[in-house]
Amino acid sequence: GRGIPGSATLLLFVLVMTTIWLGTLDSAREIIKERAIFERERSIGVPVRAYLASKVVLLYSLLLIQAAALAVIVVTLRPLDGSAGTRLSLFFVLVATGFAAVALGLLISSVAKTEERSTALIPATMIFQLLLGGAIVTVKNMGAAIAALSTLVFARWAYAGAGSVIHLNER
């Protein structure tokens, strides 16, 4: 057999949500905690995109390491059916998901007025990812308005991509 669908669903849910949590948590305080440095650099002519690029390179590198560690630990504890290519494809889905989460965290950090507020916004954004991602309530069981809103939640696309990679619908 190809495995138990409920077990695979739970595994994907944990992988996707953990990756989102890691990326958002890594980045949600980065800009706000360095607001004074950011303003000083802007005053001497450093472009915003250079500052942001330095943050993105660092945070994406960190996320790559975290996603690799997460994938290795999970696949070691709960081996996936499929080829090495399947595992690699799943890793790429997690990396893309983490990159989106880092971007979300940077957005939170750029709009928050204090580090405490940015930290407080993390659970709120995670709740939207959890509830509208399609893992707890499938998209087909959502009302039309909520299903339409769920198209804006990247957890939905990450979860669907991960399910597609491991052929979840065939299980």
Side-chain angles (χ1 to χ4, degrees):
R2 302 248 356 209
I4 301 166
S7 177
T9 300
L10 180 60
L11 181 63
L12 293 183
F13 175 74
V14 169
L15 284 170
V16 166
M17 293 314 297
T18 301
T19 303
I20 292 171
W21 179 73
L22 288 169
T24 305
L25 194 60
D26 287 346
S27 58
R29 292 183 310 266
E30 283 300 305
I31 294 173
I32 188 66
K33 77 178 182 184
E34 296 180 355
R35 185 146 337 246
I37 295 168
F38 173 75
E39 293 298 332
R40 184 179 68 230
E41 288 181 357
R42 287 218 30 211
S43 71
I44 61 170
V46 175
V48 172
R49 65 182 174 277
Y51 175 82
L52 192 56
S54 71
K55 290 292 175 193
V56 166
V57 167
L58 175 69
L59 292 166
Y60 281 5
S61 298
L62 175 61
L63 190 276
L64 276 169
I65 293 166
Q66 291 173 325
L70 177 64
V72 166
I73 290 167
V74 169
V75 169
T76 299
L77 294 174
R78 176 66 175 90
L80 293 173
D81 293 339
S83 66
T86 298
R87 290 186 287 280
L88 187 60
S89 295
L90 180 59
F91 172 70
F92 285 129
V93 168
L94 293 178
V95 168
T97 303
F99 285 0
V102 165
L104 175 63
L106 288 172
L107 176 64
I108 290 169
S109 187
S110 69
V111 299
K113 300 293 183 201
T114 65
E115 282 187 66
E116 293 78 21
R117 285 191 184 163
S118 69
T119 302
L121 287 172
I122 295 170
T125 60
M126 288 301 296
I127 289 168
F128 282 109
Q129 299 297 323
L130 281 166
L131 296 179
L132 300 177
I136 295 175
V137 177
T138 62
V139 175
K140 70 179 183 179
N141 290 329
M142 294 177 184
I146 300 299
L149 183 61
S150 77
T151 62
L152 303 175
V153 176
F154 63 88
R156 173 182 171 180
W157 303 109
Y159 188 63
S164 177
V165 163
I166 68 161
H167 310 286
L168 187 60
N169 286 338
E170 296 171 16
R171 293 174 185 248

